[in-house]
Amino acid sequence: MGYPVLESIYGGIGVFYAAIFNIPFNILVWTVGVMLFTGEKDFKSMRKTLANPALVAVFIGIILFIFSIKLPIPIENSLKIVGSTTTPISMIIVGSMLAEMKFKDAFSNVSVYYAAIVRLLIVPMIIYVTLKILKVDEFLINICVILEAMPAAVMAAIIAEKYGGDSLLASQCIFITTIVSGITIPIIILFL
């Protein structure tokens, strides 16, 4: 959800900086995160983890950026179309995972609300203070804080489902943080 919000506020340059900010997160999730889920910590599993499509896409993107390689227009347009479907498809995935539980049960886990407060308010404030202390440019601070103020990523439920974690709890977190973010995102943006 962060990319569409940032694009509406800052345009393409906001999305560009957000993508750069997300590179370490994506690398950590698809390496350390997967290793924590699977419990495998040997070199063979690390090599398999590094070869997953998400990390391959990150590395291809870095190469395209560093060497200023322009993709042919049909490929570029196709990638833009696929990219614009990310948010709706992610919501469909969460919805299909939540369909396994009763509606009232989606709201019953109190720990999910604590996670939502941490995810949507506390983490963005920690990022804000940290980047202020480091004297980072205000524009970049705003992008990082807004990105961190977004709901939990659908990637959490997908990884939990794929590697035998609690995908239902992950889906609850995504669902609740998405609903609550309707209130917290405007508050964070007004603060900035």
Side-chain angles (χ1 to χ4, degrees):
M1 267 178 69
Y3 295 131
V5 170
L6 285 170
E7 185 169 29
S8 70
I9 298 170
Y10 298 112
I13 193 72
V15 174
F16 174 74
Y17 285 123
I20 291 172
F21 181 74
N22 262 344
I23 288 173
F25 170 77
N26 286 330
I27 291 171
L28 282 173
V29 164
W30 289 104
T31 55
V32 176
V34 169
M35 286 170 44
L36 289 173
F37 262 111
T38 61
E40 298 174 6
K41 295 178 174 81
D42 60 344
F43 180 73
K44 184 180 176 185
S45 63
M46 179 64 127
R47 190 177 49 175
K48 188 171 87 175
T49 302
L50 288 173
N52 80 58
L55 281 182
V56 171
V58 167
F59 293 125
I60 289 171
I62 290 171
I63 290 168
L64 292 173
F65 173 70
I66 289 173
F67 295 107
S68 299
I69 299 170
K70 292 292 276 177
L71 295 172
I73 291 177
I75 294 174
E76 185 177 329
N77 289 341
S78 298
L79 291 175
K80 282 182 183 176
I81 291 169
V82 169
S84 67
T85 64
T86 304
T87 302
I89 288 174
S90 65
M91 292 300 113
I92 291 170
I93 291 169
V94 170
S96 67
M97 290 178 177
L98 285 173
E100 299 173 14
M101 72 169 44
K102 294 179 182 167
F103 184 73
K104 68 176 185 164
D105 291 343
F107 299 95
S108 63
N109 190 344
V110 177
S111 64
V112 172
Y113 294 100
Y114 293 122
I117 290 168
V118 169
R119 173 75 186 124
L120 300 173
L121 293 173
I122 295 174
V123 169
M125 289 301 121
I126 290 171
I127 295 293
Y128 179 81
V129 170
T130 303
L131 295 178
K132 274 290 200 190
I133 290 170
L134 295 173
K135 298 183 185 333
V136 173
D137 181 75
E138 197 73 30
F139 177 70
L140 296 176
I141 291 175
N142 291 352
I143 288 172
C144 295
V145 170
I146 291 169
L147 201 57
E148 289 302 315
M150 293 297 126
V154 175
M155 194 180 331
I158 293 169
I159 290 174
E161 179 76 26
K162 182 173 182 176
Y163 296 105
D166 191 347
S167 61
L168 207 53
L169 177 62
S171 297
Q172 278 182 291
C173 287
I174 295 162
F175 178 65
I176 297 299
T177 57
T178 301
I179 290 172
V180 175
S181 72
I183 298 166
T184 59
I185 290 172
I187 290 170
I188 294 287
I189 291 173
L190 282 174
F191 169 78
L192 293 173

